[in-house]
Amino acid sequence: MRGSLLAALLGLLVMLAAGKEDLGLQNFNLTQFSGMWYEIALASNLEHQSSSPGRKVGAVIVEQDGAHLGLTSVSDHMNLCMKEKNQAVKGDTPGKFKLPLDSGGKEVIVVATDYKTYAVISIVPHGGEKPSRVLKLYSRTLEHNEKATEKFVEKAVEQGLSVSDVQLLTKDLTCVNLLS
Ligand SMILES: *[C@@H]1O[C@H](CO)[C@@H](O)[C@H](O)[C@H]1NC(C)=O
């Protein structure tokens, strides 16, 4: 009895923590967030995401476009560089954005950032009650940043992922170079 009560309480705490995370950043500043970010790590519980060894780093250019957010990105999908241009709209809380339905209707949530060095982004599929989660670590530079990586692992665990779901991307600029 005691054990199951404890388990229930722990479950509640995890839910509360997750709920807090979903609020994004209260003082999110889009102007400071704009510019170029390298995608340097990924954490996901999706099979096809994690079973892609040697995945190259990607990048995204964030531009403020009125009430919208312009996102031009390149990323490595199974050894193919994919370039995408999306326009996201602001969501109901600061740091939360929604991609239009024709680009998947995903929600993009800024989970943590210091604007100058790193950002942790959560990507939630449209209508996703399924526990599929993708967390991405972005960096202003390609230099290894231990603090950012630690923060990323911490956030991944908070979101129910495990350390083994975290994948550092290979410093191969093939995809990134497509942005310029
Ligand atoms: C966002 O940051 C910019 C640049 O630092 C600053 O000028 C602006 O006042 C900030 N906006 C808000 C709402 O804090």
Side-chain angles (χ1 to χ4, degrees):
M1 266 326 257
R2 244 198 164 148
S4 63
L5 178 63
L6 189 62
L9 278 175
L10 281 175
L12 181 65
L13 282 177
V14 169
M15 270 168 58
L16 287 174
K20 204 175 80 201
E21 278 317 312
D22 281 345
L23 287 177
L25 301 172
Q26 291 311 317
N27 304 313
F28 183 73
N29 186 317
L30 189 49
T31 309
Q32 288 179 39
F33 192 72
S34 297
M36 164 97 167
W37 290 100
Y38 293 101
E39 181 190 339
I40 59 165
L42 181 78
S44 170
N45 59 3
L46 299 173
E47 200 69 25
H48 68 276
Q49 291 271 16
S50 46
S51 62
S52 177
R55 206 183 161 110
K56 303 174 187 77
V57 295
V60 62
I61 296 172
V62 179
E63 287 160 302
Q64 208 168 346
D65 184 3
H68 294 158
L69 186 68
L71 297 171
T72 311
S73 63
V74 279
S75 56
D76 178 3
H77 281 274
M78 320 248 172
N79 261 325
L80 277 177
C81 295
M82 303 247 298
K83 189 169 177 178
E84 276 182 281
K85 232 183 145 119
N86 282 306
Q87 213 187 34
V89 294
K90 283 183 184 165
D92 48 5
T93 50
K96 203 163 171 175
F97 300 91
K98 245 184 150 99
L99 292 176
L101 276 180
D102 61 4
S103 23
K106 292 177 203 144
E107 261 188 347
V108 177
I109 302 162
V110 181
V111 172
T113 187
D114 66 355
Y115 303 99
K116 291 194 183 86
T117 61
Y118 80 96
V120 179
I121 311 278
S122 167
I123 296 172
V124 183
H126 177 65
E129 306 119 51
K130 283 173 249 138
S132 78
R133 292 189 172 279
V134 180
L135 218 61
K136 292 183 173 191
L137 174 62
Y138 290 91
S139 172
R140 290 292 193 189
T141 69
L142 283 168
E143 302 308 311
H144 178 70
N145 181 338
E146 201 161 313
K147 240 183 170 162
T149 311
E150 271 171 26
K151 192 92 189 166
F152 186 58
V153 172
E154 180 192 313
K155 292 293 169 192
V157 170
E158 260 177 36
Q159 306 242 335
L161 294 162
S162 73
V163 177
S164 62
D165 293 326
V166 174
Q167 183 189 5
L168 297 178
L169 305 186
T170 308
K171 225 193 253 183
D172 174 326
L173 298 183
T174 312
C175 292
V176 171
N177 287 340
L178 290 178
L179 263 190
S180 46

